Amino acid sequence: SQQGEEDPQALSIQEGENATMNCSYKTSINNLQWYRQNSGRGLVHLILIRSNEREKHSGRLRVTLDTSKKSSSLLITASRAADTASYFCATDAGNNRLAFGKGNQVVVIP
Amino acid sequence: EAQVTQNPRYLITVTGKKLTVTCSQNMNHEYMSWYRQDPGLGLRQIYYSMNVEVTDKGDVPEGYKVSRKEKRNFPLILESPSPNQTSLYFCASSFRGEKLFFGSGTQLSVL
């Protein structure tokens, strides 16, 4: 079932700026994952954060998780034109059914 | 190269004509899944499989069938396609359902 909801749903920024997007969910989770999709192609896994973790880094990506508020944020620092994509959060409630949000379109202007 | 291979990439068909979209992975993953992506609706899970001969319904299984006779293959079958099944389809695989690897997608149009 659809669970993650990204916010904002569309974001336009200048190259070099930081991009922040949020994801809210409704039920308890084992982990939350972020994926990137370029122009109708297959999704690519970016980062996974477990329910007992609060923050995780991977290169220019920083993910936070607040289980009390049932929300997560993805920060992309020093954005590049190549970061232009749709970003999805996905929640794993432990039932083998990874539930994806509707996605967040990010446009980085060179 | 580790990958999930879907075929075909594009498919146009007519209502009622049975079709199969193939999916194969070379990573020895136990978990495989099919999703459809529609504008404004995100990705919705159709079916998933935890291992060979084990399949389960996702959120939108109506009108679809799957089989998992071998670990590497997980075909999606539309016995009698209808226009509301026009969509972008993705196959994905992983160990234990974490960190999914996606195929390149199949754009299906049912006329």
Side-chain angles (χ1 to χ4, degrees), chain A:
Chain A
S1 59
Q2 290 283 358
Q3 183 165 222
E5 288 287 340
E6 295 88 351
D7 173 59
Q9 294 195 328
L11 180 64
S12 183
I13 57 173
Q14 295 288 332
E15 197 166 31
E17 293 180 339
N18 296 341
T20 300
M21 57 206 89
N22 302 304
C23 169
S24 60
Y25 57 93
K26 296 175 182 171
T27 63
S28 297
I29 60 172
N30 285 352
N31 67 67
L32 184 143
Q33 304 174 36
W34 285 91
Y35 288 80
R36 183 186 73 228
Q37 184 182 36
N38 289 93
S39 191
R41 300 186 66 85
L43 280 72
V44 174
H45 182 270
L46 295 176
I47 196 164
L48 180 154
I49 187 165
R50 300 192 185 280
S51 60
N52 61 352
E53 298 175 312
R54 291 297 167 258
E55 187 170 314
K56 206 160 183 181
H57 296 256
S58 177
R60 294 183 295 112
L61 304 179
R62 172 178 169 254
V63 170
T64 62
L65 180 65
D66 187 334
T67 53
S68 66
K69 295 181 180 177
K70 292 187 170 57
S71 69
S72 172
S73 68
L74 171 67
L75 168 68
I76 305 172
T77 60
S79 63
R80 305 167 182 168
D83 294 328
T84 293
S86 292
Y87 292 83
F88 293 83
C89 68
T91 52
D92 177 1
N95 56 358
N96 303 312
R97 293 172 60 177
L98 198 61
F100 284 83
K102 296 178 182 178
N104 182 316
Q105 175 67 44
V106 175
V107 175
V108 180
I109 302 166

Side-chain angles (χ1 to χ4, degrees), chain B residues 22-88:
Chain B
T22 63
C23 175
S24 180
Q25 51 93 6
N26 62 359
M27 294 168 280
N28 202 33
H29 285 161
E30 293 176 342
Y31 182 92
M32 297 187 76
S33 181
W34 277 101
Y35 291 87
R36 61 177 288 174
Q37 184 177 24
D38 301 288
L41 296 178
L43 274 81
R44 294 179 292 169
Q45 190 176 45
I46 303 171
Y47 270 95
Y48 67 97
S49 170
M50 294 298 296
N51 213 327
V52 175
E53 302 292 1
V54 179
T55 62
D56 274 299
K57 295 178 180 178
D59 298 307
V60 288
E62 295 77 22
Y64 304 94
K65 284 176 59 177
V66 293
S67 69
R68 189 91 182 272
K69 294 187 173 66
E70 306 164 281
K71 198 171 188 178
R72 63 184 294 123
N73 296 323
F74 191 45
L76 179 69
I77 303 157
L78 283 72
E79 294 270 2
S80 182
S82 62
N84 64 12
Q85 293 178 298
T86 291
S87 186
L88 178 58

